[in-house]
Amino acid sequence: MIPRLHARAHSPREPLAEALGRSLSPIEGLTEYTVVAHWPGLDYYTPDDEQRTWTSVEWAEHLEDPYLENPFAASPDDDRHAILHLDVRLHPDDRELTGPEWSETAHRFARAAGIEVPGAAEHGWRWIAVQGQPGRLDLIANLVHLDGTWRIPPADILRRLADEARRIEQDLNLIPVRTGTTQWSAARTVPTASAQLAGVLTQLADEQAGPLATVRGLVEHTAYRIARQPGAAGTDTAHRLGLIARRLHAIQQDLDATAAHLVQPRAAAAPAAAQRTAHRSPQEKHLFAPHHRPLPGHPP
């Protein structure tokens, strides 16, 4: 288990997008399986588990509130970078943690980082923990309190995080970082990074829950509604929307193919790269060819 402390940021939006592995959405609700932990005061702030229906944009706004409500709050160095971002990564061969285990891990790291203070549940600093990617946990906190107080992390925060990681490894029977360190840090670095990037592309291309699938579904639904309107103008607009939906589908397929290419062995990718010319490959020709996906009310 390796904790990593990022440079403090001005806004929680980029750290949250990085944690999720995709752009923030005003319509996609994040459940307790994604936001696995948060500052205890949120239970007083939003009763009846209302926060479980928040979108990623709303979570970002929630983290931003203390910063926006205290425009003159600044760190001892007189800067306004109040967003602390910490991510924790498991060993590639570790087992998958359960939801309660991720939650426990988040609270323990929050206490080690000094962003969760025992006895300050109702008035603590705002933070959330996101388990949005396999084997990874992200903690995002605002160091500005609602009363304008700036929380200063411990000077030895890196040592505290490392020590807590060792204790969690032991308590949860995880692979210690010292075991196979050379193989993990050297031999597996590139494939792991490629797999993570491929995971992002796969999420974008997902036909069921990906953001492009949502957009494409809205476009197709609009085309269907417009096609039922009387008049040639509606028919023409529905046809144009159909072409847009097909292009979105082509993009999804291209992203999916690119994700598959990322996780291929390098030796297999080299000959393909050498064969590229100024002409489009058969795969590219297929990508730009129209996808015959008929719209409601239109023959194939």
Side-chain angles (χ1 to χ4, degrees):
M1 176 176 284
I2 298 180
R4 182 178 59 156
L5 188 64
H6 298 249
R8 286 189 285 110
H10 183 269
S11 166
R13 294 175 183 267
E14 287 189 11
L16 182 52
E18 180 181 340
L20 293 170
R22 57 187 182 274
S23 300
L24 302 189
S25 168
I27 58 176
E28 177 194 9
L30 300 183
T31 69
E32 66 271 23
Y33 300 104
T34 300
V35 180
V36 295
H38 51 71
W39 64 296
L42 186 58
D43 294 331
Y44 299 90
Y45 182 83
T46 53
D48 301 325
D49 294 333
E50 177 187 331
Q51 73 274 5
R52 295 189 181 186
T53 64
W54 285 1
T55 67
S56 53
V57 168
E58 289 172 328
W59 277 112
E61 291 172 345
H62 173 72
L63 290 173
E64 279 180 325
D65 282 347
Y67 182 87
L68 298 176
E69 293 183 17
N70 295 278
F72 301 108
S75 74
D77 297 326
D78 201 31
D79 72 78
R80 292 272 289 165
H81 293 81
I83 302 302
L84 182 143
H85 179 200
L86 159 72
D87 77 65
V88 183
R89 298 167 191 260
L90 300 183
H91 189 285
D93 293 332
D94 261 322
R95 64 181 178 84
E96 181 64 32
L97 300 187
T98 65
E101 286 174 330
W102 279 123
S103 180
E104 176 190 349
T105 298
H107 281 283
R108 291 177 64 168
F109 274 113
R111 288 191 291 271
I115 58 176
E116 180 173 302
V117 181
E122 296 182 45
H123 308 288
W125 286 261
R126 295 187 181 185
W127 65 270
I128 64 172
V130 176
Q131 208 282 297
Q133 300 180 60
R136 171 171 171 163
L137 180 73
D138 289 73
L139 272 73
I140 305 169
N142 193 328
L143 298 179
V144 177
H145 195 279
L146 274 174
D147 64 6
T149 306
W150 188 289
R151 180 70 179 172
I152 303 174
D156 59 346
I157 183 173
L158 294 177
R159 182 187 61 79
R160 290 178 179 232
L161 294 174
D163 290 347
E164 191 61 34
R166 303 293 79 77
R167 287 190 287 267
I168 294 173
E169 287 170 353
Q170 183 176 7
D171 294 344
L172 298 183
N173 295 316
L174 301 176
I175 298 173
V177 71
R178 63 180 177 274
T179 302
T181 301
T182 302
Q183 292 182 348
W184 187 8
S185 60
R188 299 196 181 192
T189 297
V190 173
T192 301
S194 297
Q196 290 174 347
L197 294 173
V200 173
L201 298 182
T202 300
Q203 288 178 350
L204 289 173
D206 192 299
E207 287 280 353
Q208 301 299 322
L212 288 177
T214 301
V215 174
R216 189 171 129 230
L218 291 172
V219 171
E220 291 175 339
H221 178 71
T222 304
Y224 174 78
R225 295 287 300 274
I226 291 178
R228 299 181 64 183
Q229 302 297 318
T235 301
D236 180 65
T237 301
H239 179 69
R240 292 171 61 186
L241 288 173
L243 295 177
I244 293 172
R246 290 173 189 171
R247 290 200 296 272
L248 286 169
H249 188 238
I251 292 172
Q252 287 177 280
Q253 291 183 318
D254 194 23
L255 288 172
D256 196 46
T258 303
H261 177 75
L262 271 174
V263 295
Q264 287 178 351
R266 286 188 169 186
Q275 293 174 4
R276 295 189 66 87
T277 67
H279 301 286
R280 285 179 181 161
S281 67
Q283 290 83 359
E284 291 172 317
K285 289 179 180 178
H286 173 71
L287 171 64
F288 288 96
H291 293 267
H292 300 291
R293 185 182 182 183
L295 288 167
H298 291 262

